[in-house]
Amino acid sequence: MYNGIVLIDKPAGMTSFDVVSKMRQVFHQKQVGHTGTLDPSVTGLLVIVLGKATKLIDFLQQSEKQYHADMILGIKTDTQDLDGQIIETLPIKKPISELKLQQTLTTFLGQNLQVPPMYSAIKVNGKRLYDLARKGQTVERKARSITISQLDQIGASHFDQGAGRQYLSFTATVSKGTYIRTLVEDIGASMAVPAVMKKLRRLAADGYRVDQAVPLEELLKNPSPDQFIIPLEKLLKQLPMVAIKQADWQLVQHGAWLRGLETDAPLVRIFYDRSLQAIYKKDQGLYRPEKMLLHESN
């Protein structure tokens, strides 16, 4: 069984599960997942986790994500992107100034509250929101705290006088759980105009960038796809590495707490025999198991 991650540059037209399904076929194993869904129309970095790396998803997801987004001012859809039905049109007769656009983007920096869209995989009372939305149902969603650390306009906007629409592109660095299409709609609403996301590409996630990823089609054609796997031992490098000896290894195998690790870090990677075996967390001056990755039979 393969253990590690694969960085995929996802093409448009596929769901994240479609990619997972192909990875199961390529690597001949069922234990495959990903660290964050991309809608079918969205391209860019999709981090695929293999084997025991599936246990590290929560740790990998702590890093910010970065996106390149194209948006349209003047229309609004029920899905907040161009896959949905237009539900509002307000032709823009005079272009919004570049200064106002930039000032508006600035107001979204920092910590904000965002209401998740109905067309999302979030569960409410055990049901996926997108399943309810497809039935024409709308339910109340609690606003969630998000953080936008970077939001920069790319170049000048484009005004289409004939269509009464204005086009704008930006890059955004955001916390986990941030919906860019909802951000787009909120940006428009703050200027009293409808808005929709035209295109989206994920540039970075989980500490990796899309220029490190392999296009899906290239991986599928490669006779040695395992060369693209980043092994467990190279993951979560932001956590200190602690190499233990035989005595402590016996304790780790039984899920025991450890002392005397010569570190004060809140979380550490436990290595034995040059392999990542566990993540331990500091607790009352000692270290307890947080996530076990012990070798298992295939």
Side-chain angles (χ1 to χ4, degrees):
M1 181 173 69
Y2 293 106
N3 300 297
I5 67 172
V6 180
L7 307 178
I8 296 292
D9 188 346
K10 187 186 88 66
M14 297 183 70
T15 67
S16 297
F17 182 77
D18 288 337
V19 179
V20 167
S21 180
K22 287 188 176 295
M23 293 302 98
R24 287 173 176 165
Q25 296 172 28
V26 167
F27 295 109
H28 307 290
Q29 65 186 61
K30 292 183 179 179
Q31 201 170 7
V32 179
H34 62 75
T35 65
T37 301
L38 289 180
D39 291 338
S41 60
V42 180
T43 66
L45 181 60
L46 183 65
V47 179
I48 296 294
V49 286
L50 305 172
K52 284 182 275 189
T54 57
K55 297 181 179 182
L56 301 178
I57 289 176
D58 288 344
F59 298 99
L60 291 166
Q61 287 179 328
Q62 298 308 310
S63 299
E64 292 182 311
K65 293 177 169 57
Q66 186 179 51
Y67 297 88
H68 174 129
D70 297 331
M71 62 182 285
I72 306 173
L73 295 166
I75 61 171
K76 179 178 177 179
T77 72
D78 56 356
T79 59
Q80 301 179 328
D81 58 22
L82 294 183
D83 291 333
Q85 301 295 317
I86 296 177
I87 57 175
E88 184 181 350
T89 301
L90 181 65
I92 299 174
K93 297 179 180 179
K94 182 181 178 181
I96 300 170
S97 71
E98 298 300 318
L99 178 59
K100 183 174 182 180
L101 291 173
Q102 292 168 12
Q103 289 176 336
T104 299
L105 293 181
T106 300
T107 64
F108 284 86
L109 289 172
Q111 195 167 13
N112 298 274
L113 290 176
Q114 185 183 74
V115 178
M118 278 300 303
Y119 281 89
S120 64
I122 295 173
K123 285 187 176 181
V124 174
N125 297 325
K127 296 182 178 180
R128 299 283 187 187
L129 287 178
Y130 57 66
D131 288 331
L132 297 175
R134 287 166 184 161
K135 296 177 182 178
Q137 300 178 30
T138 301
V139 297
E140 185 176 349
R141 289 96 67 202
K142 291 184 179 180
R144 304 193 301 181
S145 178
I146 62 168
T147 300
I148 301 174
S149 59
Q150 173 261 332
L151 190 58
D152 295 326
Q153 183 176 339
I154 302 174
S157 65
H158 170 68
F159 178 58
D160 185 338
Q161 186 171 10
R165 298 176 184 178
Q166 192 163 347
Y167 299 82
L168 173 68
S169 297
F170 63 82
T171 56
T173 303
V174 301
S175 61
K176 172 187 174 183
T178 303
Y179 286 88
I180 301 299
R181 50 195 163 95
T182 300
L183 173 61
V184 164
E185 189 171 281
D186 290 343
I187 290 171
S190 71
M191 296 184 289
V193 295
V196 67
M197 187 179 75
K198 178 185 177 186
K199 197 173 181 181
L200 185 66
R201 180 168 174 78
R202 185 188 281 165
L203 302 178
D206 309 332
Y208 300 95
R209 296 193 59 81
V210 71
D211 56 16
Q212 298 173 278
V214 56
L216 179 61
E217 197 61 33
E218 181 179 328
L219 181 142
L220 295 177
K221 292 179 179 179
N222 197 292
S224 303
D226 55 314
Q227 68 179 286
F228 298 109
I229 298 175
I230 300 174
L232 286 176
E233 287 66 34
K234 292 188 177 181
L235 305 183
L236 304 177
K237 287 189 175 182
Q238 71 274 22
L239 304 182
M241 167 188 168
V242 176
I244 58 173
K245 296 182 179 180
Q246 178 71 29
D248 280 341
W249 172 232
Q250 296 299 323
L251 294 174
V252 169
Q253 287 179 293
H254 292 89
W257 292 39
L258 299 176
R259 66 175 69 239
L261 294 186
E262 298 182 356
T263 180
D264 220 21
L267 287 169
V268 297
R269 295 177 296 153
I270 299 296
F271 276 70
Y272 178 73
D273 194 25
R274 293 180 293 181
S275 295
L276 177 61
Q277 301 289 355
I279 305 295
Y280 265 55
K281 183 175 184 178
K282 189 175 183 182
D283 189 347
Q284 303 177 42
L286 302 178
Y287 282 86
R288 61 173 174 80
E290 181 71 7
K291 190 66 66 173
M292 303 301 286
L293 303 168
L294 306 182
H295 288 294
E296 304 162 354
S297 59
N298 291 333

